[in-house]
Amino acid sequence: MAQVNAIKTKHSHHEHSGTRLVNAARDALTKAGEQWTGMRESVFAELARHDRPVSAYDIADNLSAARGKRVAPNSVYRILDLFVANNLAMRVESANAFLANSHPGCQHDCIFLVCDECGEATHVDDDEISRKVRAIALERGFKPERPVIEIRGLCKACAG
């Protein structure tokens, strides 16, 4: 299973991959009081094997082919929304796509560098920027729930 590129700045956590990532996601979700079902495990495992943002439709298509029966994209969307709410996955808003969180359950805001050429999404952890963004919202009487910052452009490989 591939991982998302991550740049860590003033935020430390243990990165998981492969079976450990699926197990960490299961543990985080059950700790949050949610059930870890076979379908949720299948959706998470499919999500985690991608190193680029993937849509709910792609996940549904891949699971349908693997199971030999149709998996509805709406069901996948509901599961992905649960994963995002519980910090098991991150949503790249501008692409309407998702990435597995390589450190499930770790609470932080999403900052993405998204390549318009190859689709790579690099996740950046920077608690100082997150605090500032949340403070700006609060100063204006807005209660921030899930800040997401996306910077679109070209990754190093595509720009070079």
Side-chain angles (χ1 to χ4, degrees), residues 76-99:
V76 173
Y77 267 116
R78 281 192 295 276
I79 292 170
L80 291 170
D81 286 343
L82 175 72
F83 289 169
V84 169
N86 286 280
N87 297 304
L88 306 183
M90 301 170 287
R91 182 178 180 144
V92 180
E93 302 288 339
S94 63
N96 193 25
F98 300 83
L99 293 163

Side-chain angles (χ1 to χ4, degrees), residues 128-149:
E128 185 177 332
I129 290 173
S130 294
R131 275 192 296 278
K132 286 180 181 179
V133 167
R134 286 177 175 273
I136 289 168
L138 290 169
E139 287 169 4
R140 288 160 177 77
F142 187 84
K143 184 180 177 227
E145 294 290 331
R146 191 175 59 86
V148 177
I149 299 170

Side-chain angles (χ1 to χ4, degrees), residues 67-79:
R67 290 174 167 228
K69 63 180 184 175
R70 185 177 180 274
V71 173
N74 286 345
S75 297
V76 173
Y77 267 116
R78 281 192 295 276
I79 292 170

Side-chain angles (χ1 to χ4, degrees), residues 14 16 19-36 40 44 82-89 101-107:
H14 183 73
H16 298 281
T19 304
R20 281 195 265 166
L21 177 56
V22 174
N23 291 339
R26 181 197 63 229
D27 293 347
L29 192 63
T30 56
K31 185 177 179 182
E34 298 286 347
Q35 292 183 355
W36 184 256
R40 288 176 180 177
F44 188 83
L82 175 72
F83 289 169
V84 169
N86 286 280
N87 297 304
L88 306 183
N101 184 348
S102 61
H103 39 91
C106 181
Q107 294 214 334

Side-chain angles (χ1 to χ4, degrees), residues 37-86:
T37 64
M39 183 60 160
R40 288 176 180 177
E41 182 171 353
S42 294
V43 170
F44 188 83
E46 177 61 26
L47 176 66
R49 79 177 186 82
H50 294 274
D51 62 353
R52 302 241 189 290
V54 63
S55 74
Y57 286 94
D58 290 336
I59 292 171
D61 288 346
N62 292 343
L63 291 178
S64 294
R67 290 174 167 228
K69 63 180 184 175
R70 185 177 180 274
V71 173
N74 286 345
S75 297
V76 173
Y77 267 116
R78 281 192 295 276
I79 292 170
L80 291 170
D81 286 343
L82 175 72
F83 289 169
V84 169
N86 286 280

